[in-house]
Amino acid sequence: MSRSKNILIIIIVLLAVGLGVFFWNSKSAVAPGGNPDWKTFTDPNSGATFSYPPELGTKYISTIDWPPAVYIPEDGFGGEFTCTEAGNETDRAGKTEKKTINGHDYCVTRVAEGAAGSIYTQYAYAFEKDDVTTILTFSLRATQCGNYDDTEKAKCEAERASFNIDSAIDQIASSLEL
């Protein structure tokens, strides 16, 4: 083989390897939050930045106040992070319960109210981040499944029964930079 053919083969191999590395890196790059479809948001009030899913991937449950707002109480609630469990979801102050999600402790408050064929639920996830009590707040709308025929009603009920926002909120909280 001639020297020019060897150089040409080396150039082609290097180009192929370079392109392969480029395409592999571009497909495997994952946004903060562990998902390439997530977006980055900076809360205008707190200045906190986090990653969040722009959509929930659900048909019968939709976002209202989204992405979550970040609230950092000035007094940090006066010391150590605690959670007092009480109430009912339909009470004016809602239901508050302590949850451990993927090894992280949260104090979760839910307030639900029905209106015009839907149930609106306000959520507040309080947790400690960098020794600061932080609260993520948002609202979701769930269609009342009784509004559908039997087939759609079954699909709606199955989605509602399997829906759990906790994991997404834990990922958002983990990506949070104060």
Side-chain angles (χ1 to χ4, degrees):
M1 241 192 255
S2 72
R3 180 179 162 104
S4 62
K5 279 187 177 180
N6 286 341
I7 291 174
L8 183 60
I9 290 172
I10 290 172
I11 290 173
I12 291 172
V13 168
L14 289 174
L15 269 172
V17 169
L19 285 172
V21 167
F22 172 78
F23 284 115
W24 182 79
N25 279 338
S26 66
K27 288 186 177 193
S28 65
V30 176
N35 189 318
D37 298 328
W38 283 37
K39 298 190 179 298
T40 301
F41 178 75
T42 300
D43 185 82
N45 297 319
S46 68
T49 300
F50 58 88
S51 296
Y52 72 98
E55 296 181 18
L56 300 178
T58 53
K59 181 177 179 181
Y60 306 99
I61 300 169
S62 57
T63 58
I64 302 298
D65 303 323
W66 196 257
V70 178
Y71 176 66
I72 303 169
E74 287 182 29
D75 66 358
F77 290 123
E80 186 178 330
F81 176 73
T82 60
C83 184
T84 303
E85 297 182 294
N88 186 315
E89 230 178 75
T90 56
D91 291 345
R92 187 172 184 184
K95 178 179 183 176
T96 300
E97 62 185 336
K98 185 176 182 179
K99 285 188 168 189
T100 301
I101 307 164
N102 298 322
H104 303 116
D105 290 330
Y106 295 89
C107 190
V108 181
T109 301
R110 292 184 314 275
V111 180
E113 185 175 326
S118 297
I119 298 171
Y120 293 84
T121 305
Q122 297 173 334
Y123 294 85
Y125 281 72
F127 57 98
E128 199 163 321
K129 179 76 172 185
D130 301 332
D131 296 324
V132 176
T133 298
T134 305
I135 305 169
L136 295 175
T137 61
F138 60 96
S139 299
L140 300 179
R141 175 185 167 265
T143 304
Q144 291 188 17
C145 299
N147 295 341
Y148 297 105
D149 64 28
D150 290 343
T151 304
E152 282 297 307
K153 180 181 177 183
K155 290 177 184 176
C156 177
E157 289 172 344
E159 181 178 278
R160 293 276 303 273
S162 66
F163 180 76
N164 187 339
I165 193 71
D166 290 346
S167 180
I169 296 303
D170 182 58
Q171 289 179 48
I172 289 170
S174 295
S175 74
L176 185 67
E177 295 178 16
L178 302 177

